[in-house]
Amino acid sequence: MLTSPKVFNYPIPGNPTGGILHIYGEAAAAQDVILYCGGFPDGLEPISNLAERLATARDGQAGGCYFGVTCFPGFDNKTFNEQKFTGYKKSGFTFDEVTCCVRDAADLLFKEHAKSVSSSTNECKTAFTLMTHDWGVVIGHLFINRAIEER
């Protein structure tokens, strides 16, 4: 039983609601938490079918992964053919800003997961995997290095 994602906004530089996180699956039944960061110029399209499948258990019920999908700022709200280059800073985004966007998406994913699993904690106690693709790999490396440094 494939379902549509829940969609959440988060702030990005220059746009207080420009970041978009699509979450597939049910947190309470999830065995793993996955955050996917696509690369330029991909949006949601290349990963949405896989995200739906991984969020669904083999029997078609909830119980798969809790799967969040985010993209480079401005690429996650329309299909590739619909991109009008809106939601961007005219001067573009730095790697640091895009890395912070991924961190904010991960924070939001963890908070939403924690709400469904336990009201007493804001901490994710389920295994976490970061999936990256294309230019998202660069941002993924920056994100992981920053997370290690901030510990």
Side-chain angles (χ1 to χ4, degrees), residues 21-22 34-39 42-44 46-48 50-51 67-71 102 105 109 128-134:
L21 177 67
H22 301 82
I34 298 173
L35 177 63
Y36 171 86
C37 177
D42 290 334
L44 183 63
I47 195 69
S48 60
L50 178 61
F67 200 109
V69 177
T70 192
C71 305
V102 172
L109 182 64
F128 173 69
T129 301
L130 176 65
M131 281 178 72
T132 58
H133 168 70
D134 202 344

Side-chain angles (χ1 to χ4, degrees), residues 1-17:
M1 179 170 80
L2 302 181
T3 59
S4 296
K6 296 175 191 128
V7 180
F8 299 89
N9 292 85
Y10 61 92
I12 61 173
N15 188 337
T17 59

Side-chain angles (χ1 to χ4, degrees), residues 50-130:
L50 178 61
E52 289 174 3
R53 298 283 305 248
L54 290 175
T56 306
R58 288 183 188 180
D59 60 5
Q61 301 300 312
C65 300
Y66 196 59
F67 200 109
V69 177
T70 192
C71 305
F72 271 49
F75 283 89
D76 45 9
N77 59 346
K78 301 196 184 315
T79 66
F80 183 75
N81 291 331
E82 296 173 326
Q83 289 295 338
K84 302 287 187 240
F85 299 100
T86 59
Y88 298 101
K89 284 181 16 183
K90 288 190 179 216
S91 60
F93 295 96
T94 66
F95 278 119
D96 186 58
E97 288 173 326
V98 178
T99 303
C100 288
C101 291
V102 172
R103 181 197 59 211
D104 293 345
D107 287 346
L108 180 56
L109 182 64
F110 295 146
K111 286 176 185 168
E112 290 302 314
H113 181 268
K115 281 184 199 175
S116 299
V117 175
S118 168
S119 60
S120 64
T121 181
N122 237 5
E123 195 174 311
C124 177
K125 299 199 186 290
T126 306
F128 173 69
T129 301
L130 176 65

